Amino acid sequence: MKEPHAAKAIRNLKKARGLMDAVVKMAEDKRYCMDIIQQCNAITGIMQQTKNLILESHLETCGSKMASKDPAVREKFIKEILRACNVSQRKG
């Protein structure tokens, strides 16, 4: 990953890990369900931001493949990006 995306992504991942630990503790302590859901939503938001940062870095560093004269290289890169975007759109 390219800076500043790498530092931001790592910071977000560490935040998500901390939130995840907190959510596990909340569930173990049988806290109010809506409070747990709110924290799960926060984790989901941070992870979406992180995926976007990583994708942006990838486009900046590997996006030159789009300029390739080889149509197979361009097609492979396009499919890779589409696959990543489809994964990020999944609900789960």
Side-chain angles (χ1 to χ4, degrees), residues 8-21:
K8 290 177 184 177
I10 291 167
R11 185 176 60 241
N12 282 356
L13 290 167
K14 288 179 179 181
K15 278 185 199 176
R17 181 175 53 196
L19 280 171
M20 184 64 83
D21 290 341

Side-chain angles (χ1 to χ4, degrees), residues 2 22 28 59 72-73:
K2 179 181 174 183
E28 289 172 345
L59 289 171
V73 171

